[in-house]
Amino acid sequence: MSGRAGTRAIRASVAGAVQGVGFREATRRRAVALGVQGWVRNAEDGTVALHAEGSPLALDELIAFLHEGPRGASVAQVDVREVAVEGHEQFAMRGVSAGSFLVREHAARARHFDLRLEVAGAMRSWAVPKGPSLDPSVKRLAVEVADHELDAGTLEGASGGGAAIVWDRGPYEQGGRVPWPQALERGHAVFVLHGQKLRGGFALQRTRPGPKAQWLLLKRRDQHARDGYDVVAEQPASVLSGCTLEQVLAGADPN
Ligand code: MN
């Protein structure tokens, strides 16, 4: 979709002894040195897959590198095909954790879910009134709130007439064509969650900037998407204690 003159794009698959030998990082370094954008990841079939876009000369040099690989790799075969330019603005290593994510269910003045993503040393935070969904057709309002500390202390339990549970958590990967945190600053961020309930690709799309910016949280269509499934209703329990928010509230001191 980009019209950068002279830019071409390829998808490549590298077979052989290519995983666990630093292939992705070496490819990323070479791509950055060549001014090539895109991504590299380990595929489930043991190959290394990449998307690369840049000048034809730079792509030829990167393809030549793929045939060699880093020290320790043994390349058996490199398959390359031309694809459309997608407009990447970074060369990303996929499948690498960017830190942790956390989703709390929180009963305060109004019930809501807290979504927190570790970004640049803080937890970027959104209040999601209806919580996340695994159904790609469902868009959930997410209101940006102040960052939290990485170690926010007690995350679960009753306090001050309210209560919270850790509804899901795990590592996450940053995705998309734009590096983070610029992706968030521009209002469109794609990421992959590796939680117990939430898995696969998600996106945050800002619809109203400013203080308490409004975003939409949505599930991207992939093998973890579940049409018509209400994960919040079906899986209400804390991933820490197994308790639901109702149980925590029922056991809470009313004072
Ligand atoms: Mn909250």
Side-chain angles (χ1 to χ4, degrees), residues 104-108 110 112-116 126-128 145 148 163-164:
R104 296 198 320 162
E105 189 176 6
H106 187 191
H112 60 277
F113 288 76
D114 303 314
L115 168 65
R116 298 180 187 167
W126 291 261
V128 185
V145 297
H148 284 71

Side-chain angles (χ1 to χ4, degrees), residues 4 6 28 36 51 53 84 89 102 157 166 172 181 186 197 217 223 241:
R4 278 177 294 168
R28 192 194 65 79
V36 170
H51 175 95
E53 47 192 56
E89 299 181 25
L102 173 74
V166 175
Y172 87 101
R186 289 198 213 164
K197 301 172 186 175
L217 172 67
Q223 72 270 30
S241 63

Side-chain angles (χ1 to χ4, degrees), residues 228-250:
Y229 182 72
D230 186 348
V231 65
V232 163
E234 298 291 336
Q235 301 186 53
S238 163
V239 296
L240 293 187
S241 63
C243 293
T244 64
L245 187 56
E246 272 65 34
Q247 290 168 329
V248 175
L249 282 165

